[in-house]
Amino acid sequence: MPACYSGTVVGDACLDGVLIDVDAAFPIGKPTGSHRNVIAAVNFADFAGLNEVGTRVYFTYANDPSQQFPQRACTANTVPLQLPHLVLSNISNTGCKAPGPR
């Protein structure tokens, strides 16, 4: 499994989080709309302005069942998308950060 992934922000859904179309080299997402490999980043608050549509992002992730959906108050009467809901870390728009010493 790669240590670093990349993709493009394609939206934000209240019940899902930041939607990222991950590069085809990393098939970790699912198709939705016109995008082929989408994940939902549940920790939207960690994006620090990198959640604008079209922004290129680099990240690592964890699949944490205790955080499957973002903690948001959503007023829309919708259901979550059928996408992988992941907790992202090392979020950057300048490339992947090298891991620290072990």
Side-chain angles (χ1 to χ4, degrees), residues 2-3 13 17 21 30 42 50 55 63 79 87 90 96-97 99-100 102:
D21 192 9
K30 291 189 175 181
V42 299
L50 296 178
T55 300
N63 187 358
V79 295
V87 179
N90 299 316
C96 295
K97 299 173 185 175
R102 294 181 187 233

Side-chain angles (χ1 to χ4, degrees), residues 3 12 15 20 22-23 30-31 36-39 41 46 55 64 71-72 77 79 81 86-87 89 91 95:
D12 190 330
L15 291 175
I20 300 171
V22 181
D23 293 346
K30 291 189 175 181
R36 315 276 292 142
N37 189 26
V38 179
I39 62 165
D46 295 337
T55 300
D64 185 347
Q71 301 301 309
R72 291 182 177 174
N77 187 15
V79 295
L81 297 170
L86 306 174
V87 179
S89 56
I91 303 164

Side-chain angles (χ1 to χ4, degrees), residues 46-98:
D46 295 337
F47 274 74
L50 296 178
N51 59 344
E52 291 185 32
V53 171
T55 300
R56 188 104 175 109
V57 292
Y58 302 86
F59 58 92
T60 56
Y61 77 89
N63 187 358
D64 185 347
S66 71
Q67 297 184 35
Q68 286 298 303
F69 298 98
Q71 301 301 309
R72 291 182 177 174
C74 298
T75 58
N77 187 15
T78 60
V79 295
L81 297 170
Q82 296 299 308
L83 299 172
H85 288 81
L86 306 174
V87 179
L88 303 193
S89 56
N90 299 316
I91 303 164
S92 170
N93 66 343
T94 57
C96 295
K97 299 173 185 175

Side-chain angles (χ1 to χ4, degrees), residues 11-35:
D12 190 330
C14 188
L15 291 175
D16 299 288
V18 178
L19 305 178
I20 300 171
D21 192 9
V22 181
D23 293 346
F26 313 114
I28 61 173
K30 291 189 175 181
T32 188
S34 63
H35 305 289

